[in-house]
Amino acid sequence: DIQMTQSPSSLSASVGDRVTITCRASQRIISYLNWYQQKPGKAPKLLIYAASSLQSGVPSRFSGSGSETDFTLTISSLQPEDFATYYCQQSHSFPQTFGQGTKVEIK
Amino acid sequence: EVQLVESGGGLAQPGGSLTLSCTASGFTFNTYAMTWVRQAPGRGLEWVSAISGTGGSTYYADSVKGRFTISRDNSKSTLYLQMSSLRAEDTAVYYCAKDGVLYSSTLNWLDPWGQGTLVTVSS
């Protein structure tokens, strides 16, 4: 199975900060990498698919980059509604696997 | 608007069985693969199982293979997950999710997700 490792596991940031979350795959996954946001008690929501494509309706402050094994989710200016847990997911091969999550908290 | 509504969760005894349902609306159900993902309390997301749009191809995580069966009834726009030989470690919120690509022969990103249904396995 492909292992997905996110870093950091958690971070504290202030409104307006630029935030970067990284995701590393244990094997090359080309661009088959997706990012989700989950708020407490809610279902995950798709933010970015195919490494860098912004899902319709998602604010442009979210962006994704990377290929092969190293990927990044960037929030250019953190907003109050962005405090949540973020997960990466590889869709290159079965079983599809998720990173362990990165919790973004208020500083 | 695409909607996915899970049901069927509840309390089950170890070794018992439970069947989850996911009723879909707002899209042509048989043209998209569907996936089940679970989340144990306070933990991360775990991919469980997926099925192609026709139902002809099914996929399982090793942790549930041989115990869970995914199926779909396209005439009812409903996805199912039959769970048997349940274990305490199967306790989780179970989400169904729609594949992101129409008529895809592979599995892709998941969008949207249902609200989830809680399964608790305990004596």
Side-chain angles (χ1 to χ4, degrees):
Chain A
D1 297 0
I2 297 176
Q3 306 302 315
M4 306 301 294
T5 304
Q6 287 182 233
S7 61
S9 296
S10 64
L11 64 90
S12 295
S14 301
V15 172
D17 284 353
R18 182 182 183 88
V19 169
T20 299
I21 299 168
T22 63
C23 179
R24 175 163 289 176
S26 61
Q27 301 173 32
R28 296 170 66 185
I29 59 171
I30 313 174
S31 295
Y32 293 95
L33 191 284
N34 313 302
W35 290 98
Y36 301 87
Q37 175 194 65
Q38 187 180 34
K39 296 181 179 179
K42 300 293 187 182
K45 171 189 170 185
L46 178 68
L47 298 177
I48 302 286
Y49 62 94
S52 60
S53 295
L54 188 68
Q55 173 66 352
S56 175
V58 174
S60 59
R61 63 181 179 272
F62 291 93
S63 64
S65 64
S67 65
E68 303 298 352
T69 61
D70 293 304
F71 301 87
T72 299
L73 174 70
T74 300
I75 309 172
S76 60
S77 178
L78 197 66
Q79 298 302 299
E81 60 268 30
D82 301 337
F83 292 97
T85 299
Y86 294 83
Y87 293 93
C88 62
Q89 175 220 16
Q90 66 82 15
S91 49
H92 177 272
S93 54
F94 290 104
Q96 293 186 331
T97 43
F98 292 87
Q100 81 278 15
T102 296
K103 187 174 184 179
V104 177
E105 299 175 302
I106 302 172
K107 181 183 280 186
Chain B
E1 178 194 6
V2 173
Q3 279 200 313
L4 301 172
V5 179
E6 299 95 336
S7 59
L11 179 64
Q13 298 226 332
S17 299
L18 210 56
T19 297
L20 306 183
S21 299
C22 170
T23 302
S25 61
F27 65 102
T28 305
F29 186 65
N30 64 0
T31 61
Y32 289 89
M34 297 291 293
T35 294
W36 288 99
V37 176
R38 69 185 180 183
Q39 186 170 36
R43 305 296 296 275
L45 301 171
E46 180 187 12
W47 181 87
V48 173
S49 183
I51 187 169
S52 63
T54 63
S57 297
T58 57
Y59 311 87
Y60 297 94
D62 285 346
S63 58
V64 307
K65 200 174 295 182
R67 301 188 300 120
F68 289 11
T69 301
I70 191 171
S71 62
R72 62 192 298 160
D73 184 336
N74 287 341
S75 69
K76 296 182 178 178
S77 294
T78 302
L79 174 72
Y80 302 100
L81 187 67
Q82 295 175 272
M83 304 184 295
S84 62
S85 302
L86 284 164
R87 306 166 181 167
E89 53 266 35
D90 295 320
T91 295
V93 174
Y94 285 73
Y95 296 100
C96 66
K98 170 183 157 292
D99 194 84
V101 179
L102 178 68
Y103 288 127
S104 178
S105 60
T106 60
L107 298 186
N108 304 280
W109 52 91
L110 303 173
D111 179 68
W113 299 49
Q115 86 288 350
T117 188
L118 176 63
V119 171
T120 303
V121 182
S122 174
S123 55

